[in-house]
């Protein structure tokens, strides 16, 4: 596998309105492989969104380099191709909604890419169906509920068929079944269509479904590995403001109690197997 | 402060093609000092319901009675209602508008006509409650904060008003786990110390299970179930059918029961831990 995203020694400083510098990324390096599903965790303000915005050239590094499919984000001529390659679902869907009718909103991306009208129609219908919003195609997005808006913004990016999707807390406002559906969609896009996924989330049960988990703290990537490797380190995760799934927590407590159960149990199914084995 | 909702119906954009009945004859009573969890699928009407509690939305029909006063009646003081019922919006961006974090949190208390010292005290106190560093952030623009930091400022702004009824619309969406636990812990503490009536809207079944006295379940503009967390989460199938779920440990116990491992229903990690230890030690 080759890297679709390569970030090397990225430093990023925001200049605030009163000219203060805020270092949001402090020497971050990341290689994201084509077809990989990476989850990014980290406390509020740790730099997740800032990093994500470097992956589609919305922000350019103050120091260091970011390459998307070999294209340097600092070179303006690449911006168009980069945005076509890496589509982004923003943290607040309100910032993403541009049209006054849902289907036009979803069509906006592919239209900008110059996709043929009948192909756009097909993609819009498919994308809306994927997120379960086909009944709302003619509605006004601004009047939808929080979770419904979030689904529309995901559909908008889906319709662009990017090679890589960056999703910044896409399920933050969804109900449990909506969250599951979005996670299923993401995994399907990843497994069946080979789309590279970068998922920023505060939900540990979502992160366990990734191939690799990256943990950010104060502008640095401080841990990474498979979900099993990362979530087995409960104390370290808690010390940086994070958590583990309830079943993982339960296993850690049982383990401390002297019960012979592994520390890297991540799902209900795994835990049922372990408990059946114990008796 | 008790809250009574009587036959509340809300129709958005009445008489247009966008007409939508978001609330359909909802009646419920919230006791003084109760901690309510309001859950429901996206679009079920939760935000619409709670925006009636401080008169941000007017009912199409029905009444809302807070501490004996019908706030839908003509001539009631909106200022007084909003002082009594503090509402934290679903999107913090909709709540933040001042140039600095300080001014933003001070906005409400200022409107109450409090002294400079009292305002200062409340701003400091509220920022501390939501885990933000006063000295580091007071002069920062709220628009230059991360998503979770913005949310904390929005919550601080409402806490600074010292409302009697605190209504929070998905206050922990976008917060990191530690921030979530801290803020929910503070809300619970305020509820216990000041007998604050709290309505918490959340999609996190885990948080709801750990915190609230009673759950109100909404689906398609109606209240479909209301009971203690234990009784509500025993109905996993009902919840799943309306887009909801149970806490992960409850799910675990249900699956174990299916495998013939009989342990009692659990809604928290603590309970599940105790039950499992008992079970595993039983022979
Ligand atoms: N527009 C901006 N101007 C100045 N500073 C900013 C701006 N946006 C973010 N920051 C600062 O940069 C740091 C990283 O912010 P970022 O939004 O990347 O965090 P995050 O990890 O996405 O957090 P969250 O989980 O809350 O969304 C924070 O300290 C934040 O205050
Ligand atoms: N301003 C508006 N105009 C027209 N319809 C609206 C408006 N606001 C909400 N609606 C509709 O009313 C219904 C209820 O919306 P509401 O925001 O109350 O749901 P919710 O339960 O808070 O959902 P979520 O969990 O997604 O926040 C939805 O179908 C929504 O599309
Ligand atoms: Mg962010
Ligand atoms: Mg809502």
């Amino acid at each position: 596998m080759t890297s679709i995203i390569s970030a090397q020694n990225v430093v990023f400083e925001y200049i605030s309105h009163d000219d203060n510098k805020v270092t949001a990324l402090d020497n971050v390096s990341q290689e994201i492989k084509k077809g990989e599903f990476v989850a990014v965790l980290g406390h509020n303000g740790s730099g997740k969104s800032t990093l994500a915005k470097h992956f589609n050239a919305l922000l350019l590094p103050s120091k260091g380099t970011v390459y998307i499919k070999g294209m340097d984000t600092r070179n303006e001529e690449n911006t168009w191709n980069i945005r076509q390659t890496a589509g982004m679902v923003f943290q607040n869907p309100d910032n993403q909604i541009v049209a006054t009718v849902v289907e036009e909103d979803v069509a906006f991306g592919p239209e900008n890419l110059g996709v043929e009208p009948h192909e756009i129609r097909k993609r819009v219908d498919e994308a809306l169906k994927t997120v379960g919003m086909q009944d709302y195609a003619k509605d006004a997005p601004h009047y939808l509920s929080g979770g419904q808006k979030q689904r529309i913004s995901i559909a908008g990016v889906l319709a662009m068929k990017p090679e890589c999707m960056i999703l910044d807390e896409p399920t933050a406002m969804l109900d449990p079944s909506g969250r599951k559906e979005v996670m299923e969609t993401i995994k399907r896009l990843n497994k069946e269509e080979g789309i590279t996924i970068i998922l920023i989330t505060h939900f540990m049960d979502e992160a366990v479904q990734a191939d690799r988990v990256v943990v950010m703290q104060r502008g640095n990537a401080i841990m990474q590995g498979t979900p099993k490797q990362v979530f087995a380190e409960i104390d370290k995760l808690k010390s940086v403001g994070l958590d583990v799934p309830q079943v993982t927590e339960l296993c850690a407590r049982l383990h401390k109690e002297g019960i012979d159960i592994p520390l890297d149990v991540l799902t209900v199914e795994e835990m049922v197997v372990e408990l059946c084995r114990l008796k | 402060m008790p809250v009574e909702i009587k036959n509340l119906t809300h129709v958005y954009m009445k008489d247009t093609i966008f007409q939508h009945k978001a609330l359909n004859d909802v009646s419920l009573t919230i006791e003084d000092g109760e901690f309510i969890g309001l859950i429901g699928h996206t679009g079920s009407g939760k935000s619409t319901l709670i925006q009636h509690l401080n008169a941000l939305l007017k009912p199409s029909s029905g009444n809302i009675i807070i501490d004996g006063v019908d706030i839908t009646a003509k001539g009631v003081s909106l200022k007084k209602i909003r002082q009594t019922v503090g509402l934290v919006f679903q999107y913090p961006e909709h709540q933040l508008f001042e140039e600095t974090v300080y001014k933003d949190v001070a906005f409400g208390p200022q409107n109450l006509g409090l002294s400079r010292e009292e305002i200062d005290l409340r701003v400091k106190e509220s920022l501390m409650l939501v885990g933000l560093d006063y000295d580091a952030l007071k002069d920062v623009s709220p628009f230059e904060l991360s998503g979770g930091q913005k949310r904390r400022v929005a919550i601080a702004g409402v806490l600074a008003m010292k409302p009697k009824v605190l209504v929070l619309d998905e206050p922990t969406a976008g917060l990191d786990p530690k921030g979530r636990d801290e803020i929910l812990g503070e809300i619970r503490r305020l509820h216990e110390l000041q007998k604050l009536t709290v309505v918490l809207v959340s999609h996190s079944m885990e948080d709801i299970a750990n915190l609230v006295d009673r759950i109100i379940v909404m689906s398609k503009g109606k209240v479909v179930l209301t009971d203690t967390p234990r009784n509500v989460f025993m109905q996993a199938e009902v919840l799943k059918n309306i887009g909801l779920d149970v806490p992960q440990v409850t799910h675990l116990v249900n699956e174990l029961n299916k495998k013939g491992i009989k342990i009692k229903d659990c809604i928290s990690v603590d309970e599940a831990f105790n039950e499992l230890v008992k079970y595993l030690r039983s022979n």
Side-chain angles (χ1 to χ4, degrees):
Chain A
M1 280 200 286
T2 50
S3 293
I4 188 164
I5 296 175
S6 167
Q8 284 149 10
N9 306 103
V10 175
V11 173
F12 185 80
E13 286 165 342
Y14 285 103
I15 311 290
S16 69
H17 67 289
D18 50 2
D19 284 337
N20 279 325
K21 280 187 181 169
V22 179
T23 306
L25 295 176
D26 187 7
N27 202 17
V28 175
S29 297
Q30 270 299 317
E31 296 290 328
I32 312 256
K33 304 264 175 281
K34 191 162 169 35
E36 208 180 1
F37 174 4
V38 179
V40 182
L41 304 176
H43 63 80
N44 291 136
S46 58
K48 303 179 297 297
S49 298
T50 306
L51 182 64
K53 287 176 188 159
H54 278 78
F55 292 165
N56 76 343
L58 275 174
L59 292 176
L60 302 177
S62 311
K63 286 195 200 114
T65 51
V66 177
Y67 290 91
I68 311 298
K69 266 188 29 184
M71 295 176 281
D72 189 335
T73 59
R74 289 171 306 181
N75 185 347
E76 263 180 51
E77 283 171 18
N78 290 333
T79 307
W80 175 257
N81 283 334
I82 287 172
R83 301 238 167 104
Q84 196 167 343
T85 307
M88 172 117 161
V89 177
F90 290 92
Q91 189 159 0
N92 178 349
D94 273 354
N95 298 343
Q96 191 136 358
I97 288 169
V98 289
T100 52
V101 179
V102 164
E103 60 182 9
E104 285 172 13
D105 195 81
V106 177
F108 182 78
E111 260 162 20
N112 266 347
L113 297 178
V115 176
E116 305 245 308
H118 73 272
E119 169 69 12
I120 292 182
R121 180 76 259 162
K122 210 176 111 213
R123 288 194 192 181
V124 168
D125 291 345
E126 260 174 33
L128 284 173
K129 196 156 158 247
T130 302
V131 298
M133 290 294 289
Q134 63 273 45
D135 294 347
Y136 294 82
K138 308 275 184 222
D139 283 16
H142 292 281
Y143 298 132
L144 295 175
S145 79
Q148 290 167 333
K149 280 185 198 163
Q150 213 155 13
R151 293 180 193 216
I152 299 303
S153 45
I154 294 171
V157 175
L158 275 178
M160 293 169 68
K161 302 221 163 172
E163 278 174 65
C164 172
M165 271 179 88
I166 304 154
L167 303 112
D168 196 351
E169 301 188 34
T171 62
M173 296 277 171
L174 296 184
D175 56 36
S177 75
R179 275 181 58 203
K180 264 188 216 143
E181 282 162 23
V182 167
M183 284 308 293
E184 290 309 319
T185 306
I186 290 175
K187 282 195 290 183
R188 202 178 66 233
L189 293 168
N190 177 247
K191 296 278 165 315
E192 290 173 16
E193 308 201 17
I195 296 178
T196 307
I197 302 285
I198 297 162
L199 172 70
I200 297 174
T201 183
H202 289 298
F203 292 108
M204 304 302 136
D205 57 338
E206 293 177 2
V208 305
Q209 304 178 42
D211 300 325
R212 179 158 62 99
V213 177
V214 176
V215 179
M216 302 272 303
Q217 185 201 21
R218 289 205 213 112
N220 285 300
I222 57 152
M223 276 168 96
Q224 60 175 312
T226 63
K228 283 207 179 283
Q229 289 164 341
V230 169
F231 286 108
E233 301 209 41
I234 295 194
D235 294 337
K236 189 159 177 200
L237 284 172
K238 290 204 171 168
S239 77
V240 295
L242 300 180
D243 206 350
V244 298
Q246 283 193 327
V247 288
T248 315
E249 166 105 37
L250 199 49
C251 284
R253 289 179 59 181
L254 290 171
H255 190 89
K256 253 191 211 143
E257 197 67 18
I259 289 160
D260 174 28
I261 196 160
L263 289 172
D264 61 359
V265 168
L266 302 180
T267 64
V268 167
E269 294 69 29
E270 286 171 28
M271 180 132 187
V272 170
V273 171
E274 290 299 334
L275 288 168
C276 288
R277 184 185 57 81
L278 279 175
K279 267 276 165 165
Chain B
M1 212 165 255
V3 176
E4 213 186 329
I5 295 169
K6 282 189 186 161
N7 307 100
L8 176 60
T9 293
H10 189 89
V11 184
Y12 282 113
M13 320 258 268
K14 202 168 166 42
D15 302 326
T16 74
I17 51 161
F18 294 121
Q19 172 158 328
H20 182 92
K21 194 183 268 187
L23 293 175
N24 187 359
D25 196 21
V26 171
S27 294
L28 51 94
T29 307
I30 298 168
E31 304 295 339
D32 188 21
E34 214 179 2
F35 197 143
I36 295 285
L38 182 59
I39 62 178
H41 60 82
T42 49
S44 59
K46 303 179 297 296
S47 296
T48 305
L49 177 68
I50 62 173
Q51 286 177 66
H52 283 85
L53 298 182
N54 74 348
L56 274 177
L57 287 179
K58 290 248 165 280
S60 303
S61 61
N63 306 81
I64 293 116
I65 296 149
I66 296 180
D67 205 21
V69 178
D70 187 343
I71 68 164
T72 58
K74 279 211 176 70
V76 287
S77 154
L78 287 183
K79 194 172 161 189
K80 193 139 171 259
I81 297 169
R82 298 205 176 131
Q83 191 173 327
T84 316
V85 182
L87 174 61
V88 178
F89 289 92
Q90 186 161 1
Y91 289 102
E93 284 82 358
H94 296 172
Q95 202 143 6
L96 303 172
F97 46 88
E98 290 282 358
E99 292 151 44
T100 68
V101 166
Y102 184 96
K103 286 188 189 167
D104 222 300
V105 179
F107 180 81
Q110 240 148 19
N111 270 352
L112 299 179
L114 300 172
S115 71
R116 193 175 264 285
E117 293 77 47
E118 174 68 17
I119 293 173
D120 223 50
L121 194 72
R122 286 201 183 186
V123 173
K124 281 183 186 152
E125 198 179 71
S126 315
L127 286 175
M128 198 180 68
L129 286 177
V130 298
L132 290 178
D133 184 341
Y134 173 84
D135 292 312
L137 291 179
K138 67 176 181 358
D139 298 322
V140 171
S141 157
F143 301 100
E144 293 174 350
L145 296 175
S146 79
Q149 290 166 333
K150 280 185 191 145
R151 178 162 299 278
R152 291 170 195 235
V153 175
I155 297 174
V158 173
L159 291 180
M161 304 275 289
K162 303 208 170 182
K164 300 273 187 299
V165 180
L166 181 60
V167 184
L168 306 121
D169 200 350
E170 300 188 41
T172 59
L175 287 189
D176 57 47
K178 180 162 168 251
R180 175 198 68 203
D181 290 347
E182 282 171 0
I183 286 177
L184 292 178
E186 280 308 329
I187 291 167
R188 185 175 178 150
R189 209 176 56 88
L190 290 173
H191 159 75
E192 279 161 9
L193 285 179
Q194 303 174 8
K195 304 256 180 305
L196 203 64
T197 307
V198 182
V199 180
L200 172 70
V201 178
S202 177
H203 284 306
S204 165
M205 305 298 128
E206 280 84 9
D207 290 346
I208 292 279
N210 286 330
L211 279 169
V212 310
D213 301 326
R214 184 160 63 96
I215 296 179
I216 295 171
V217 186
M218 293 192 61
S219 177
K220 296 186 182 152
K222 282 185 172 291
V223 171
V224 292
L225 191 61
T226 166
D227 211 327
T228 59
R230 189 170 308 283
N231 289 342
V232 168
F233 289 128
M234 273 180 28
Q235 314 205 35
E237 283 309 309
V238 176
L239 294 173
K240 274 198 187 143
N241 286 335
I242 53 171
L244 300 177
D245 208 345
V246 296
Q248 195 181 36
V249 287
T250 310
H251 182 47
L252 172 72
V253 173
N254 292 346
E255 290 304 308
L256 289 172
N257 283 337
K258 278 188 206 155
K259 295 265 177 210
I261 297 179
K262 292 285 173 237
I263 59 176
K264 270 207 308 232
D265 287 308
C266 297
I267 57 172
S268 71
V269 172
D270 279 345
E271 284 177 9
F273 171 73
N274 291 332
E275 285 302 317
L276 282 172
V277 169
K278 224 185 329 175
Y279 163 75
L280 290 166
R281 295 257 160 87
S282 67
N283 55 24

